[in-house]
Amino acid sequence: MAADSMEIDDALYSRQRYVLGDTAMQKMAQSHVFLSGIGGLGVEIAKNIILAGVKALTVHDTKQCTKWDLGINFFIHEDDISSQRNRAEATLHRIAELNPYVHVAASVVPLDETTDLSFLKQYQCVILTEVSLLLQKKINDFCHAQQPPIKFISADVYGVCSRLFCDFGDEFEVVDTTGEEPKEIFISNITQSNPGIVTCLENHPHRLETGQFLTFREVNGMSCLNGSTHQITVVSPYSFSIGDTSDMEPYLHGGIAVQVKTPKMFYFERLEKQITNPLCLVADFSKPEAPLQIHIAMLALSHFQENFGRGPNIGCLQDAEEMLKIAMSVSETLENKPQVNADVVKWLSRTAQGFLTPLAAAIGGIASQEVLKAVTGKFSPLQQWLYIDMLDIVTPLEKTGSEEFLPRGDRYDALRACIGDSLCQKLHDLNIFLVGCGAIGCEMLKNFALLGVGTGQDKGLVTITDPDLIEKSNLNRQFLFRPHHIQKPKSYTAAEATLNINPYLKIDSYINKVCPATESTYSDEFYTKQDVIVTALDNIEARRYIDSRCVANLRPLIDSGTMGTKGHTEVIVPHLTESYNSHRDPPEEEIPFCTLKSFPAAIEHTIQWARDKFESSFSHKPSLFNKFWQTYASAEEVLQRIKSGESLEGCFHVIKTLSRRPRSWTQCVELARVKFEKYFSHKALQLLHSFPLDTRLKDGSLFWQSPKRPPFPVKFEFKDPLHYGFIVSAAKLFATVYCVPFTEKDFSEETILKIISAVKVPEFRPSNKVVQTDETARKPDHIPVSSEDERNAIFQLEKSILSNEALENDLQMKPISFEKDDDSNGHMDFITAASNLRAKMYNIEPADRFKTKRIAGKIIPAIATATAAVSGLVALELIKVVGGYSADAYKNCFLNLAIPIMVFTETAEVRRTEIRNGLSFTIWDRWTVYGKEDFTLLDFINAVREKYGIEPTMVVQGVKMLYVPVMPGHIKRLKLTMQKLVKPSADKKYVDLTVSFAPETDGEEDLPGPPVRYYFVQEDN
């Protein structure tokens, strides 16, 4: 982002722009930030805010690199230790590489109680890590006293506990508290009363909150509401009140209420005051007292450090007792004198010298988002403390000897001090499969490298796969990639970059998709070799598939995902938890076919229409055209066949395309002009012919009322940039698919005007075609071809052959694949122009290219802060999975850094399904039956009955029904061999079948059973 011109580099920042918006991005590009402490937490924060794009960052540190740093700071290498470099100077060029638009400087001067703090006045935000509490208070007082205040953030990770504190001054105005799109509500009624009650359309809940503001438009009857703003009170999910409407005209129909975003003021207290009466965000509602308990414990730690000039020794019980005494006296100084939790104090004391890098990734991601809030005024700031602890990890280690936690002089000492050597070894020996090397994937690999996953001498391997190549937009959050990696495979590049963090990692990288087509690579044998599977995917379908493979092979799975500032993590452990497929998100609402085709009511509808037009005209039709002519050798052969009465699928449309094929740039422009008339004028005229403006329904109400909007024809104006833009982009795409050459000169206004002036635009002739108005109707698969159309096709094809316009080159087109991120290809130009012209025709508020691109390209907004936080939480759960912890230790998480909210919940316990007579199963259970070559279906059914005491009444293989007694011919199948029924491939040793059983009473549904794995031959034990 060039801060001088405030121009945003969309190729780099596009996904983040959808999270923050341009105003916040521009404010960020003018901000100067100071960060002290470039240890494991400081480097996380630096990475995230440099990727985000502040103007300048100063990283400050006075410590030298040590071996310890190799396990906590992913940008410190072994040569930095041998060269005795300062940590800030060692990491400077590596963090600066992350974003060329950010100026990064290092400072190594001492920062202590005697330092003159006036140098901080040049910064808008100051972040402190690894700074004593006394100095934190001094710097906070200085920052708070400035006009305007310097935004102050402090963050620390000690062992298994972390804290984050924010103070943005007495008053801090936020322009947008949530970052959500303003809601638009279609109105069905407004009462004449005090207060007036507004009801929205049925099945469309408003999802508003009392106190929010709305403005109205397009209200008929009660028109004085249009343009006015009202504060609302929620009455029900479908209605709200807006104040006195009793003196207004009666409501007739229509109207849209649009949410108005209003700035909100937040108030902060200084650190000194907040220490005694802290305002904390509760992250785990099962232990709401935890934040205050950690607050006391971490204050006690600060006092211990001040009293003894050191931290408590690793695993030292004496130091833990001393810290507990301090905690008791600290509690007395707090306003509410809260109870001290001895376990929290003890574990903090035992592990405080250590450092849990995934915890730093989580708290660092959250802290970085607070920095962005501080410099932009976008999203609700944290008020004012956040504490996250990982006592779940250490509590099961209670009986582990203290020598397990002592340093061994390697890069894992900081981790060992928290989780002990045995658990470190288990991580080193781990076989892990990471699916996806995008934003979360890169962060996960960093976490694996710091934890030493897959570094064991004899065991341990990290396997990664991702079919994608690196694009420029990835560099904004996929921090292992640099500009010179663009167009290289993500997995290979990520593997190489991970070895820079930890050269002892064993890593295999692939470029395969994980899907049914690659099951020969990612076979059952492959899965059973893995200890854990971690997904870093961006779609539900792939998650469901991998989950099903993990369940079939009894493998633990940790899933996560982000969308903008929101994120989730989910832990799936065999025999303990439900699986990903156990719960189903509601399906995404599809836009009804008739809405898209004839009755759009919102800009999303017109964008989807334009996207569909692009797909149909430039991808689908050209593909069908090519497929047809690959099937039939020549136009003469096709003519002969249809003349002899043969029906060739798709023939009519292909001949129509061939006969109208443009053969010059002029004809491409003419075609674009004719399409303009058809889409944006004739369509409107036809609809108004079918349904005149005064059309009424059977109940007497108007046909054209909200949400149906009457269309009005758009008159072509050459000088209108929108009209001109449609012609040029459509002509360019037509020329591309029809292989018509064009030059830069062809795009000149003079050339286009000359062509368009000569175009004879067909006049509108109304047709009696039935317009679909049923919202449940789907798009028809095939439109029948009339006999007249067939005769016409013969005539057109004969004409093309006679005029030598059905030669080999004429029988080929070039389909286009939609690519949203290449501005030179004209794809987004066409979709933006077509969508906004349709919006104009229906009097819908248009959308700029930026918003159109997000909706048409189905872009998932993304930002490095949420990605880092989520991947840290996944790695923390990974430690528990590797340790074989009990079900109550695992936590799923949902977070939204914008609000901010963070909710930890226990995993869902696996459900047990009863069959009958005490026989039951869970999703993790699998029955087995061993057969032999001549084993019949009847033998299989008998084998299940003998082994499990219940007879199957139905046998299914995937979607194929092998045996359903009521189906014709299925009884005969009982005599067939399993080999013949299943038809396995030569290397297939078994097949997974689903069985069900007869209900106990007639009329009820069959009882489900677990999967049955049938082995074709007895396996040797």
Side-chain angles (χ1 to χ4, degrees), residues 749-805:
E749 272 194 39
E750 189 186 341
T751 307
I752 305 284
L753 179 60
K754 190 178 173 186
I755 298 169
I756 279 179
S757 305
V759 175
K760 286 181 182 164
V761 179
E763 280 185 30
F764 170 68
R765 288 200 181 89
S767 87
N768 295 320
K769 262 198 311 191
V770 175
V771 177
Q772 182 60 263
T773 59
D774 178 4
E775 289 202 0
T776 60
R778 303 187 75 80
K779 185 177 180 179
D781 291 333
H782 292 289
I783 298 163
V785 178
S786 68
S787 53
E788 189 186 336
D789 285 338
E790 283 176 358
R791 282 195 299 276
N792 195 22
I794 293 172
F795 169 71
Q796 285 177 338
L797 189 54
E798 282 177 332
K799 192 179 167 189
S800 296
I801 292 168
L802 286 170
S803 52
N804 283 333
E805 290 183 346

Side-chain angles (χ1 to χ4, degrees), residues 159-160 351 354-356 393-394 397 405 413-420:
V160 292
T351 64
F355 191 90
L356 209 47
I393 287 179
V394 290
L397 306 175
F405 299 86
D413 278 346
L415 174 65
R416 190 176 284 112
C418 296
I419 66 170

